């Protein structure tokens, strides 16, 4: 089920077009992305590093920087404790390299997914103490680790938290009270009393801000932001942050750096995947490079990903990159099997009627739960949790839909959980096996969802006849890049098209090529990616196809032609 909606947002498009020398179509697209006002449009179109906010606006920034500077001066041992996903690895790299560059005695630990679980824990704290660590700095984790950080404080360890996860809270007489860990400094723009203007940074974004401030404070010559932007960009896409505001600038500028990366590990990882550094887009990061870096955290230890980034020579980098690619290939296969099993379970049980899907796959590798949950959510357009049997109890991951704030709902069901954390759109959890069913029941009782929420909404930017498309407009639309979550690729729509000469291609018969003509006879090439035979079946005998599409320039043998890519059809 899907519902097509047109984003009918208003503004003086003629004036915007004139002011910025752009087509009115582009002006509308920018308005649809909630960019309003000349200043915001200017930054959206031409923003660069100078438009990043000052790190000093973040709560506790002065505190964390002065503690770090002191520890560096006194040659105290600092340990970075990160996390095993792309964001966790990138933020660890940023803090580790940044602190090393500032002269710190620093090492890092990335928790092992299976033996440690998510983020900092008691075992890692005891270990830090035994190894005479003076200060721990967390990244991409820590905000929810009050108990563990209390232990570290008892042992006399300085603890600095940098994180971007939701701050845990308690409801007291209808008032929301944050539960903050007893750390020496906490940098997380999601804290209620942090005045930083942008709360959407990933863990690596926050880590980069801390290093930026430290380098300013210590008056170091190196431009740390410039050096680390590409890593922050990879993490921003890998953690599926919204590509708006500062994040869009980090990704836009970081991609430029990545196109000429001097990091041997990244060079080799790009190469083994058959890509050219200069053509890397958010798509490649999200679906090729990122998953390879993630695969280590999933199936092995994420330390390998960090080793890759730190590789000193090409040979070492090539071996590690090859390992990562192989791990990712086997992860893909295992994921496909898991998805298949999950669908089978949903469709052959009462789960199919649930509003929130809780699928228990005891045999599945726990590290794949998140990816499988994502696929299940896509298929049914319902919030989905995938649970697996862990060494102790049951562990799982959830992926949500817009109308369902997953983290808050878990708070309501916390009586069945031993551990949980996350965001509105994604969460992780642990529980006892006997609580799987009660948890599923309770989640469904308090879901607050109605059938309306399960209808996929297809937002159309502008109803635009295909004869309006020209090469210049398509080229101009590239100023809207990079595309991704929160800054979607523009889509247009037209009704009443006639299909000429449809042909199915591809070994999985998943590409359909055709010619589409409007009522005046104007025609253009079109491509649909999806089930080709089903497409042919559905259009049989029809002469008024409606499509949601985006236009593209197809360069083939030195000749440029216009074509449209069909995203949805009716
Ligand atoms: Mn993160």
């Amino acid at each position: 089920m899907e519902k097509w909606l047109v984003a009918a947002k208003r503004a003086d498009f003629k004036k915007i077009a004139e002011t910025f020398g752009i087509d009115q179509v582009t002006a509308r697209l920018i308005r649809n992305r909630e960019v309003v006002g000349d200043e915001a449009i200017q930054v959206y179109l031409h923003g660069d590093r100078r438009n990043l906010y000052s790190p000093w606006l973040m709560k506790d920034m002065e505190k964390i920087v002065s503690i770090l500077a002191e520890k560096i001066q006194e040659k105290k041992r600092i340990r970075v404790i990160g996390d095993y996903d792309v964001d966790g690895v990138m933020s660890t790299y940023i803090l580790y390299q940044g602190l090393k560059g500032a002269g710190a005695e620093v090492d890092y630990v990335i928790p092992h997914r299976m033996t440690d679980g998510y983020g900092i824990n008691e075992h890692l704290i005891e270990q830090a103490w035994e190894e005479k660590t003076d200060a721990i700095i967390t990244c991409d984790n820590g905000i929810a680790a009050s108990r563990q950080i209390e232990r570290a404080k008892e042992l006399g360890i300085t603890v600095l938290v940098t994180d971007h996860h939701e701050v845990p809270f308690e409801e007291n007489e209808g008032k929301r009270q944050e539960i903050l860990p007893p750390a020496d400094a906490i940098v997380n723009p999601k804290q209620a009393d942090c005045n930083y203007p942008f709360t959407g940074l990933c863990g690596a974004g926050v880590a980069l801000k801390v290093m930026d401030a430290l380098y300013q404070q210590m008056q170091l010559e190196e431009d740390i932001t410039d050096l680390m932007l590409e890593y922050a960009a990879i993490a921003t896409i890998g953690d599926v942050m919204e590509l708006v505001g500062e994040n869009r600038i980090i990704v836009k500028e970081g991609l430029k750096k990545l196109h000429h990366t001097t990091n041997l590990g990244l060079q080799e990882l790009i190469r083994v995947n058959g890509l050219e550094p200069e053509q890397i887009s958010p798509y490649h990061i999200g679906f090729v490079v990122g998953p390879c870096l993630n695969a280590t955290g999933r199936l092995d230890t994420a330390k390998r990903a960090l080793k890759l980034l730190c590789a000193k020579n090409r040979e070492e980098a090539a071996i590690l990159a090859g390992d990562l690619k192989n791990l990712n290939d086997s992860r893909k296969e295992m994921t496909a099997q898991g998805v298949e099993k999950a669908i089978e379970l949903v469709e052959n049980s009462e789960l199919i009627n649930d509003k929130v899907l809780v699928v228990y796959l005891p045999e599945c590798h726990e590290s794949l739960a998140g990816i499988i949950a994502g696929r299940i959510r896509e298929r049914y357009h319902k919030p989905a949790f995938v649970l697996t049997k862990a060494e102790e109890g049951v562990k799982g991951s959830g992926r949500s839909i817009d109308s369902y704030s997953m983290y808050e709902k878990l708070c309501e069901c916390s009586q069945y959980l031993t551990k949980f954390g996350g965001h509105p759109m994604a969460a992780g959890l642990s529980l006892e096996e006997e609580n799987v069913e009660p948890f599923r029941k309770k989640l469904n009782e308090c879901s607050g969802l109605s059938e309306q929420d399960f209808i996929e909404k297809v937002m159309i930017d502008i109803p635009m006849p295909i004869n309006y498309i020209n090469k210049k407009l398509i080229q101009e639309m590239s100023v809207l890049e990079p595309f991704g979550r929160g800054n979607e690729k523009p889509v247009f729509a037209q009704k009443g098209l006639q299909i000429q000469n449809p042909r199915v291609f591809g070994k999985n018969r998943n590409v359909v090529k055709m010619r589409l003509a409007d009522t005046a006879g104007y025609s253009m090439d079109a491509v649909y990616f999806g089930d080709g035979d089903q497409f042919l079946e559905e259009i049989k005998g029809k002469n008024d196809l409606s499509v949601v599409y985006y236009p593209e320039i197809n360069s083939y043998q030195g000749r440029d032609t216009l074509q449209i890519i069909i995203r949805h059809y009716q």
Side-chain angles (χ1 to χ4, degrees), residues 87 140 164-165 203 239:
D87 188 25
D140 196 31
H164 75 124
H165 286 90
D239 233 25

Side-chain angles (χ1 to χ4, degrees), residues 382-393:
K382 290 176 176 178
F385 289 92
V386 168
L387 307 177
T388 65
K389 204 179 180 91
E391 276 173 34
E392 265 173 70

Side-chain angles (χ1 to χ4, degrees), residues 83 85-88 91 118 139-141 163-165 201-204 235 238-241 423:
D83 190 29
D85 68 2
V86 178
D87 188 25
S91 42
Y118 163 75
C139 49
D140 196 31
N141 83 92
D163 200 352
H164 75 124
H165 286 90
L201 290 172
C202 64
D239 233 25
V240 206
M241 297 290 103
H423 302 286

Side-chain angles (χ1 to χ4, degrees), residues 458-494:
V458 176
M459 285 307 282
I460 295 160
D461 274 296
I462 307 167
M464 185 171 81
I466 53 172
N467 70 9
Y468 195 87
I469 301 167
N470 60 61
K471 198 170 158 185
K472 186 170 161 273
L473 178 64
I474 298 173
Q475 283 165 339
E476 185 182 296
M477 285 191 314
S478 69
V479 298
L480 307 176
E481 290 179 33
F483 299 125
R485 191 164 89 85
N487 189 50
E488 309 290 335
K489 198 165 189 152
V491 282
F492 306 95
Q494 187 176 11

